[in-house]
Amino acid sequence: MTVLVGILLAGGLSRRYGSPKAFAELEGELFYERAYHALAAVCDDVVIISRPELMERFSSDAEVITDLDWIEGQGPLAGILSGIIAKRADKYFVLPCDMPYVGPAETAKLLELANPSSDITTICNSTENIPLFGIWDKRVKEQLQQDLEAGQFRVMKFMEKVATEWIDSSEIHKDPLVFRNVNQPDDQMRGWQNGH
C-alpha cells in the first residue's frame, strides 16, 4: 500500500502579509487549519513545517517540526526536504498554508489525476505555474538534497531536473482563483468579493 504523507508549509516570513499567514483567518478557520484539513482528507499523516518562534501557536494535536538546521529558513524546498526526512512515505502531498481556498475536494482530485510514475505532479493554468500544490515521490529526495547542498533553492529550477507532470488547474477546479496564494490581506477580501 502506498503511504502518503502531507507536508504543510507554514514557515514563510509573510513579509507582504504583515503577520504570519498560517494564523490568518477565513470563514472562522485559520489558514493552516484549512490546509491541514485538505491534506488530512487524503493523507495517512500530516506534518507541519514552520519556524521555531511559531511552534507554540499551532494546535497541540498537530505534528509541527522546523527545517533541518543546515537549511533553516531557506524557503519551500528546505521545508519539503525537512518533511521528507522527518516522515517516511512513498509519496508526499505538499500544500502551503497561504492557499486557503484549496479544500479536500481539490486534494482528492489531484491525487486521482496524478501519474504514479511522475516524480512530481503539480498544477498550472494559462497564466502561471502553481508549483507548491503537488504530489512529490520519495525518489526526489536525493536530487533535492543535492540542490540544497549546492545552494540551489529555486522551486521551478528543481522541478526542471526531475520528471514533473503539470496538470491544468481547471481539471481540478474550474475557478483558477481557488489556487491563488493569499499574499496580502486585501487579496483575501478580493476573494470574498468574487464569492469565495
Side-chain angles (χ1 to χ4, degrees), residues 20-193:
K21 285 188 276 187
F23 308 104
E25 201 171 301
L26 178 64
E27 294 173 358
E29 268 189 306
L30 302 179
F31 279 18
Y32 92 84
E33 292 172 333
R34 294 175 70 88
Y36 192 96
H37 294 146
L39 289 172
V42 296
C43 295
D44 300 296
D45 199 2
V46 178
V47 62
I48 298 172
I49 321 292
S50 193
R51 300 203 311 278
E53 66 270 26
L54 300 179
M55 299 289 278
E56 291 177 5
R57 294 183 63 181
F58 293 93
S59 163
S60 58
D61 296 337
E63 183 176 355
V64 190
I65 64 169
T66 57
D67 287 336
L68 296 160
D69 289 347
W70 62 278
I71 44 173
E72 188 177 345
Q74 295 295 335
L77 290 183
I80 293 167
L81 181 64
S82 300
I84 289 173
I85 287 176
K87 307 292 285 186
R88 228 193 198 135
D90 300 298
K91 304 243 178 218
Y92 297 87
F93 205 131
V94 175
L95 180 62
C97 68
D98 61 358
M99 291 176 69
Y101 298 99
V102 169
E106 288 73 40
T107 51
K109 190 66 179 172
L110 181 61
L111 190 58
E112 180 192 315
L113 295 173
N115 180 345
S117 64
S118 296
D119 291 331
I120 299 172
T121 300
T122 187
I123 65 169
C124 61
N125 59 40
S126 58
T127 59
E128 63 178 343
N129 294 320
I130 306 165
L132 290 179
F133 172 57
I135 297 169
W136 295 49
D137 193 275
K138 66 179 179 183
R139 288 188 302 268
V140 303
K141 179 183 168 186
E142 199 173 312
Q143 181 67 57
L144 186 50
Q145 187 148 348
Q146 282 176 19
D147 271 36
L148 290 167
E149 284 171 354
Q152 197 302 100
F153 303 117
R154 290 171 53 205
V155 176
M156 290 299 297
K157 193 168 180 185
F158 175 74
M159 287 183 160
E160 288 165 9
K161 296 181 179 182
V162 298
T164 300
E165 176 190 16
W166 294 91
I167 291 175
D168 193 290
S169 67
S170 64
E171 292 189 51
I172 295 166
H173 198 290
K174 290 197 170 15
D175 185 351
L177 288 175
V178 166
F179 303 103
R180 75 193 181 286
N181 290 93
V182 175
N183 287 317
Q184 299 170 26
D186 52 340
D187 288 348
Q188 212 170 315
M189 291 315 296
R190 280 198 287 278
W192 284 109
Q193 286 153 11

